[in-house]
């Protein structure tokens, strides 16, 4: 079984062997793999936007 970072709590989640579902035993998060990828992509974009906004306010 493949491991991934949980989209909700950040701990280890499991991806099933068919690469169809992601499930976190810690917090109960469960999603189809494609939905999981979209969620993680959105989180990465938000993090990049936050970083850029903070950088614009406090450049070195």
């Amino acid at each position: 079984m493949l491991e991934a970072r949980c989209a909700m709590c950040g701990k280890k989640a499991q991806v099933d062997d068919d690469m169809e579902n992601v499930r976190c035993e810690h917090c109960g998060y469960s999603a189809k793999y494609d939905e999981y990828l979209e969620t993680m992509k959105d989180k990465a974009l938000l993090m990049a936007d936050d970083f850029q906004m903070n950088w614009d306010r406090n450049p070195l």
Side-chain angles (χ1 to χ4, degrees):
M1 187 160 293
L2 186 66
E3 291 182 344
R5 182 177 300 272
C6 177
M8 296 302 287
C9 71
K11 297 193 185 244
K12 289 182 183 177
Q14 290 77 36
V15 180
D16 64 13
D17 292 335
D18 297 331
M19 300 290 285
E20 291 183 13
N21 299 296
V22 178
R23 174 146 173 74
C24 177
E25 293 180 6
H26 178 70
C27 71
Y29 173 80
S30 181
K32 294 286 187 187
Y33 187 68
D34 291 338
E35 294 169 11
Y36 168 79
L37 290 177
E38 285 299 315
T39 300
M40 294 305 279
K41 181 178 82 171
D42 291 344
K43 284 182 174 259
L45 290 172
L46 287 173
M47 286 176 24
D49 287 345
D50 287 345
F51 177 82
Q52 186 63 48
M53 286 188 337
N54 287 331
W55 179 262
D56 290 344
R57 278 189 255 156
N58 300 313
L60 294 177

